[in-house]
Amino acid sequence: KERTSSRKFKPAPVYVDRRNAWQCGLSITMFLRKEVISEIGGFDESLGLGASTRWQSGEDTDYILRAIKADFNLYYLPTLVISHEDAVPNYTLEMDKGRSYGEGMGRVLQKHNYPIWEVFGHLLYPFGVIFKASLKNDHAKARYFWAVAVGRLGGLRAKKLN
């Protein structure tokens, strides 16, 4: 079965805001006008795959949040489908990946000063997955999402860079 993304996206078109930015875009699915890119600049190179930091995700959401902060209107269209090979994670072998992806999200939550109640929701999710995986005796998945949760907390506690 072809997978079109690694996230659960919104099912209906919507204007993107700080609350739904996490379900409205990945860097491979973003199309922006030249004016947005000219004003916002490039991606934060301390975030995302290949960054020299431990924050190996979040560059796309950070970019969206920076555009929103600059008062650009962003619109999410679910009918525009981008296919991108996205392997199902091997939970046993990818613990470091889970943690570093979690750290990236935590860093973006911190960087954009999300209030504690929204941060809590993002921290609660991996614990829900851990609970469900444990009920199914999928211990590898539970351990992976424990690494994600620990990573999110670590990213939130990282020293502020800006």
Side-chain angles (χ1 to χ4, degrees), residues 15-124:
Y15 280 98
V16 183
D17 60 29
R18 280 176 51 92
R19 294 203 65 175
N20 67 21
W22 303 91
Q23 298 92 32
C24 291
L26 290 170
S27 54
I28 60 168
T29 66
M30 292 168 35
F31 296 89
L32 301 165
R33 295 186 185 274
K34 184 178 179 181
E35 302 81 48
V36 177
I37 296 166
S38 293
E39 182 159 335
I40 303 304
F43 285 98
D44 178 343
E45 293 182 10
S46 73
L47 298 167
L49 289 176
S52 61
T53 67
R54 63 184 197 244
W55 307 311
Q56 296 293 297
S57 71
E59 74 285 0
D60 37 22
T61 307
D62 172 67
Y63 202 89
I64 290 169
L65 293 169
R66 288 168 41 215
I68 292 167
K69 185 176 181 179
D71 289 327
F72 286 104
N73 291 316
L74 303 180
Y75 194 70
Y76 166 71
L77 256 173
T79 54
L80 182 61
V81 176
I82 307 297
S83 292
H84 183 269
E85 188 174 325
D86 190 24
V88 176
N90 180 327
Y91 294 118
T92 302
L93 299 176
E94 297 184 357
M95 299 294 285
D96 289 340
K97 180 178 177 180
R99 183 180 180 129
S100 66
Y101 277 23
E103 287 179 340
M105 178 183 240
R107 171 67 182 123
V108 172
L109 288 164
Q110 178 214 61
K111 180 180 176 180
H112 292 278
N113 299 310
Y114 272 81
I116 191 68
W117 60 87
E118 288 187 55
V119 168
F120 183 72
H122 289 286
L123 290 175
L124 193 58

Side-chain angles (χ1 to χ4, degrees), residues 141-152:
K141 187 173 184 177
R143 283 191 301 273
Y144 174 87
F145 276 91
W146 176 257
V148 170
V150 168
R152 288 183 184 181

Side-chain angles (χ1 to χ4, degrees), residues 5-11 20-26 76 125:
S5 77
S6 60
R7 290 191 196 164
K8 288 229 176 214
F9 283 100
K10 292 279 188 190
N20 67 21
W22 303 91
Q23 298 92 32
C24 291
L26 290 170
Y76 166 71
Y125 174 79

